[in-house]
Amino acid sequence: MFSFLKRDPVKKLRQQYDAKAEQAMLAQRKGDMRLFADLTAEAEELWLQLEKLQAEATK
């Protein structure tokens, strides 16, 4: 009945992915390649989760 009040998990994951990707970009600009690699790997994991949720939503 009140489904419009529930948060969208895809939107939340997308925001987390965007934030992590931005942090990775800033680390790369500073020259910290190790941190860049770690943050990029975390962003990739979030992206895979995001794709999985979107695939489940379209079923």
Side-chain angles (χ1 to χ4, degrees):
M1 181 173 165
F2 290 104
S3 62
F4 65 92
L5 294 176
K6 294 182 181 176
R7 292 193 173 219
D8 185 16
V10 173
K11 185 177 178 181
K12 182 179 178 183
L13 266 179
R14 181 63 184 210
Q15 289 174 344
Q16 289 175 348
Y17 170 78
D18 290 342
K20 195 64 70 173
E22 184 177 354
Q23 289 174 355
M25 182 222 18
L26 293 174
Q28 184 181 27
R29 284 186 178 176
K30 290 180 181 178
D32 191 350
M33 291 295 119
R34 183 169 302 209
L35 180 61
F36 169 71
D38 292 339
L39 291 172
T40 302
E42 291 176 20
E44 291 283 328
E45 291 175 18
L46 288 172
W47 186 257
L48 292 175
Q49 291 175 6
L50 182 66
E51 286 181 337
K52 184 179 176 183
L53 274 177
Q54 288 177 339
E56 291 175 357
T58 58
K59 285 185 179 181

